[in-house]
Amino acid sequence: MPCAAQGRPESGEQWTERYRGAVMNTFGDPQRVLVRGEGSTVWDVDGNHYLDLLAGIAVNALGHAHPAVVQAVTEQLGTLGHVSNFFTTEPQVRLAERLAALLDPGSDEGADVPVRTFFANSGTEANEAAFKATRRTGRTTVVVAEGSFHGRSMGALALTSKAAYREPFEPLPGDVRWVPYGDADALTAAVDDTVAAVLLEPIQGEAGVVVPPEGYLARARAITREHGALLWIDEVQTGVGRTGAWFAFQESGVVLDLVTLAKGLGGGFPVGACIGIGDAATLLGPGNHGTTFGGNPVACAAALAVLDTIESDGLLAQATTRGDQLASALAAHPRVAEVTGRGLMLGVVLTDPRAADVQKAALDAGLVLNAPTPDRLRIVPPLVLTEAEAAHATTTLSAVISEVLA
């Protein structure tokens, strides 16, 4: 259970009241007022502590206040903090080269396949860049899966499925065709020679960690190649080790045209990336797109520290081990119908659609997670989650589920 602190001058309730008067109400009231974090634990202004199984929605790959990220950001900001896009810096070039190596698209008849990155500040901006790149094919139609989430800017929102997000802002840009996620036959029927791109998540996060059937991405690759369309994979949530691989699509063995990244890439520092592979690497040319902060050397230094630490600390394997530990323990609960996902990206499907009640009770019990759908909990903790923390999480969450769904 959370433990209370004494003598703080302003309580969470007081800060929340000030929030209501000062911040636009786009999110509703904050659930807690957080003041610090360390590893997989965060503290609120009232002195309560929580095991963070959400990691800022899959952002804090190395947890909170990781020394490698703190050092990288501090050193870079103390050296060269921002240069605009009239110039480049060593961290920007090194990060682009590193991402190209991690994607490892192989070679085309002995020649290296070109890989080029456009840096942005977030996932929605990365998807916005990719959306614009699809227009440079001369086609306008994008085929997108139902249940998808690709961002809140107007372009990315046009490619996002949830009606509650979209409808207040329609008409939205783009010629979009919707298909059921995971249905390769529906994809075959939707794609023709007018389609610019097919956009898919390798695992849908906002939909509640939904995994497509085996072979789905390979079928999508074959279909898009047949019609000369791009295959664009949104790895904003799944990328950077979240599922136990650098990128979730790599399990399929396919070579893509466009990949978008963000969330875990900066370990809490805002950075996104739109990566073009092969011919897609040169779709956007000078003047086609831009950003003031994208490729900022501090953000790139943070991302390099994240990638270095994941590699040096063996966090890809740890994500798989900890994920299996969490999944096997929670799947044994009689009120859990199924646990979906891979690595440390899990969806806990409840037998009753009371995920919001479970999430609220779990927070009161000291666990941070969320309920993206009425019957699903989403668990995306830091990749540094320890065995003991995972055991505590499953014991506590199981007790909460039993109490709420009794």
Side-chain angles (χ1 to χ4, degrees):
M1 293 289 290
C3 55
Q6 303 295 321
R8 291 189 178 276
E10 290 194 89
S11 67
E13 184 177 349
Q14 290 171 312
W15 276 110
T16 299
E17 186 59 34
R18 290 175 63 173
Y19 174 95
R20 292 186 187 117
V23 180
M24 280 192 183
N25 184 23
T26 56
F27 302 106
D29 279 354
Q31 297 177 36
R32 295 291 189 274
V33 179
L34 301 180
V35 292
R36 73 182 180 94
E38 182 178 342
S40 300
T41 302
V42 292
W43 284 260
D44 70 18
V45 72
D46 298 311
N48 305 309
H49 60 81
Y50 307 85
L51 182 59
D52 187 0
L53 302 180
L54 190 59
I57 313 181
V59 165
N60 300 309
L62 304 184
H64 300 271
H66 193 285
V69 177
V70 173
Q71 181 179 349
V73 168
T74 302
E75 289 183 356
Q76 187 59 50
L77 192 57
T79 304
L80 188 64
H82 180 71
V83 299
S84 86
N85 49 36
F86 291 116
F87 306 94
T88 191
T89 62
E90 178 182 333
Q92 183 185 70
V93 175
R94 288 178 55 216
L95 180 59
E97 291 174 345
R98 185 75 179 275
L99 292 173
L102 293 176
L103 280 167
D104 188 22
S107 62
D108 185 6
E109 296 180 352
D112 289 338
V113 175
V115 180
R116 305 283 186 271
T117 294
F118 174 86
F119 287 113
N121 306 296
S122 66
T124 194
E125 291 180 55
N127 282 327
E128 203 74 29
F131 195 10
K132 289 181 72 173
T134 69
R135 291 298 180 94
R136 299 292 295 162
T137 65
R139 304 179 184 181
T140 60
T141 301
V142 179
V143 177
V144 191
E146 295 169 1
S148 64
F149 181 86
H150 300 294
R152 304 270 196 157
S153 58
M154 292 295 273
L157 185 60
L159 308 169
T160 290
S161 172
K162 196 169 184 176
Y165 297 163
R166 294 167 43 82
E167 289 178 351
F169 304 99
E170 291 177 341
L172 293 164
D175 301 325
V176 180
R177 294 178 190 167
W178 298 98
V179 293
Y181 185 62
D183 187 338
D185 292 337
L187 196 59
T188 300
V191 178
D192 56 29
D193 290 353
T194 70
V195 169
V198 170
L199 167 58
L200 298 170
E201 294 161 274
I203 297 174
Q204 289 189 327
E206 181 76 5
V209 190
V210 177
V211 181
E214 188 174 353
Y216 180 58
L217 294 186
R219 284 285 303 276
R221 176 72 284 181
I223 293 164
T224 49
R225 279 207 169 121
E226 179 183 352
H227 294 284
L230 302 172
L231 180 58
W232 162 14
I233 296 296
D234 180 335
E235 291 262 8
V236 167
Q237 186 165 153
T238 52
V240 197
R242 172 60 51 192
T243 66
W246 283 114
F247 309 104
F249 83 85
Q250 287 174 320
E251 185 177 74
S252 69
V254 303
V255 176
L256 311 176
D257 301 298
L258 291 165
V259 185
T260 46
L261 302 174
K263 292 193 181 292
L265 182 58
F269 206 97
V271 56
C274 167
I275 307 172
I277 301 167
D279 291 343
T282 55
L283 283 171
L284 291 176
N288 288 155
H289 198 45
T291 169
T292 296
F293 294 103
N296 175 285
V298 182
C300 293
L304 285 165
V306 169
L307 298 177
D308 288 345
T309 304
I310 289 174
E311 187 172 62
S312 63
D313 291 3
L315 296 183
L316 297 182
Q318 175 154 317
T320 299
T321 303
R322 291 286 84 76
D324 289 347
Q325 179 186 351
L326 290 167
S328 60
L330 292 171
H333 194 286
R335 303 309 300 271
V336 172
E338 182 185 12
V339 178
T340 61
R342 291 202 303 267
L344 284 174
M345 182 175 179
L346 300 175
V348 180
V349 186
L350 303 175
T351 56
D352 292 328
R354 297 188 59 195
D357 294 334
V358 172
Q359 180 271 323
K360 186 173 183 298
L363 184 62
D364 291 339
L367 298 181
V368 177
L369 44 82
N370 84 323
T373 72
D375 66 343
R376 288 175 181 254
L377 302 168
R378 176 168 49 179
I379 296 177
V380 283
L383 306 185
V384 298
L385 187 77
T386 68
E387 182 177 2
E389 289 170 337
H392 171 71
T394 57
T395 300
T396 304
L397 183 56
S398 294
V400 168
I401 293 171
S402 295
E403 181 179 347
V404 174
L405 300 188

